[in-house]
Amino acid sequence: MKTGLVLPGGGARGAYQVGVWQAMTELGIAKNVAIISGISVGAINAALFADKDAFEARRLWMNIKPSDIMKINAHRIGDIIYDLIKTHKRFRDRIAYLFSSEGYFSREGLERLLDTYLNYDRIANSDKKIYAVCADVSGKSNSEVLLSTLGIPVGKSEYIALNGANAGKIKKILMASSSIPFVFDRTDINKTGYYDGGISEGVPITPVYREKCDVIYVIPLDKKQVIEGEDYPGTKIINICLNENYRSVIPRSLNFSQELISKRIEMGYKDGMRILREHL
């Protein structure tokens, strides 16, 4: 039976997917997964699951510090302050400058985490097919990309395989898939500009479904990402979805506190064990 796994994006909520993966491992399902497709944090988890066992994946997540992900891009802030004080642009041009391809937060921490914890050779040579979904925004203006903040799809989804790629390309692809517009820098690969795949496609099921899987496990991080089985005939769809009562001034996708990461991993594990057992 051919088995696929779909991992949508959701920032810090991606810890939930690690808990579900642990449940899949303990129930003997993970070893049968042949194809994994992910967007944004889901793409990073896809690479992680191809490389590490569930315990090591959990350990990486528990070592994430908020400063690793949400470190202010001082250069960008400095440029904006200079622009406001020293230049004499029209108001429209000033607003446009606030939404450029350079993000407000640095990617150095994430790059360091990927280089420290991922074995790129193992990912490239994995017996599982691994896809990361990126949004190709070639020819799109920043104002068009801004529409993505309203939930309007922007760009063209590209399903990029990590298998067979070198270390530098794998890292670039993972960075591209998680490049949230205006939060992080746009990522350019071979002169093509990419942003987070979530702005062009909510759930990266396409590359998995086209592989003709008999069963596809989807781990949504929001109820809007739940996949209806009747839309994908010939395949059994099993959703294990994060459902949390979250209250904080910090957006839930950006809250990387270790306490919340641990809680979400445990939620994923418990939900996974409960739902997956129903389908064994």
Side-chain angles (χ1 to χ4, degrees):
M1 185 167 66
K2 197 170 186 179
T3 303
L5 177 63
V6 176
L7 304 172
R13 290 172 287 168
Y16 179 84
Q17 295 172 341
V18 175
V20 177
W21 182 249
Q22 182 179 348
M24 293 178 73
T25 299
E26 291 186 15
L27 293 173
I29 298 171
K31 64 183 179 182
N32 297 321
V33 172
I35 305 125
I36 308 177
S37 176
I39 280 178
S40 195
V41 71
I44 294 171
N45 277 339
L48 186 60
F49 297 166
D51 176 31
K52 309 290 185 188
D53 61 30
F55 174 78
E56 289 178 300
R58 183 180 187 126
R59 186 164 64 89
L60 181 152
W61 268 89
M62 290 306 301
N63 280 316
I64 293 177
K65 301 180 184 68
S67 59
D68 289 329
I69 309 298
M70 304 305 297
K71 183 180 178 181
I72 292 291
N73 182 346
H75 179 265
R76 170 72 168 144
I77 300 301
D79 282 351
I80 288 174
I81 293 172
Y82 179 86
D83 184 72
L84 291 172
I85 296 174
K86 297 292 186 179
T87 64
H88 302 283
K89 294 179 180 177
R90 292 177 300 174
F91 178 76
R92 184 179 64 183
D93 294 331
R94 288 186 186 276
I95 294 299
Y97 188 69
L98 293 175
F99 298 98
S100 75
S101 59
E102 186 177 2
Y104 287 91
F105 292 90
S106 169
R107 316 242 40 207
E108 292 177 359
L110 178 58
E111 284 195 64
R112 186 168 56 251
L113 281 172
L114 296 180
D115 288 340
T116 299
Y117 287 99
L118 291 184
N119 184 320
Y120 296 114
D121 287 339
R122 271 207 299 261
I123 295 167
N125 296 300
S126 174
D127 58 356
K128 302 179 190 300
K129 290 185 179 179
I130 310 297
Y131 293 95
V133 183
C134 306
D136 177 355
V137 292
S138 300
K140 300 293 182 183
S141 66
N142 289 328
S143 58
E144 288 177 288
V145 173
L146 188 60
L147 294 174
S148 67
T149 63
L150 302 176
I152 299 172
V154 176
K156 177 185 176 183
S157 295
E158 282 200 19
Y159 313 112
I160 307 177
L162 302 187
N163 306 84
N166 61 40
K169 186 173 182 181
I170 290 174
K171 183 165 72 171
K172 271 273 192 181
I173 293 168
L174 295 178
M175 299 295 283
S177 184
S178 58
S179 292
I180 303 171
F182 315 121
V183 176
F184 301 120
D185 292 355
R186 186 188 66 205
T187 301
D188 295 335
I189 302 176
N190 296 330
K191 298 183 180 180
T192 299
Y194 292 101
Y195 274 125
D196 188 310
I199 73 170
S200 59
E201 181 172 338
V203 182
I205 193 170
T206 300
V208 178
Y209 183 66
R210 72 184 181 190
E211 292 278 351
K212 302 187 185 304
C213 289
D214 300 293
V215 59
I216 297 175
Y217 295 94
V218 184
I219 311 179
L221 302 177
D222 186 282
K223 289 181 180 179
K224 295 178 182 178
Q225 297 172 340
V226 170
I227 292 293
E228 299 298 334
E230 56 264 29
D231 295 333
Y232 296 91
T235 298
K236 182 179 181 180
I237 305 289
I238 299 173
N239 291 280
I240 304 128
C241 181
L242 172 63
N243 183 16
E244 64 180 349
N245 183 19
Y246 181 80
R247 294 180 181 179
S248 174
V249 295
I250 304 172
R252 60 182 184 154
S253 61
L254 301 179
N255 192 336
F256 286 88
S257 74
Q258 290 190 343
E259 180 182 0
L260 189 55
I261 286 174
S262 179
K263 179 181 177 182
R264 284 169 168 165
I265 291 174
E266 193 60 28
M267 287 175 63
Y269 176 73
K270 289 180 178 178
D271 288 351
M273 293 298 283
R274 174 176 53 83
I275 295 170
L276 294 170
R277 279 173 172 159
E278 295 173 359
H279 293 277
L280 290 178

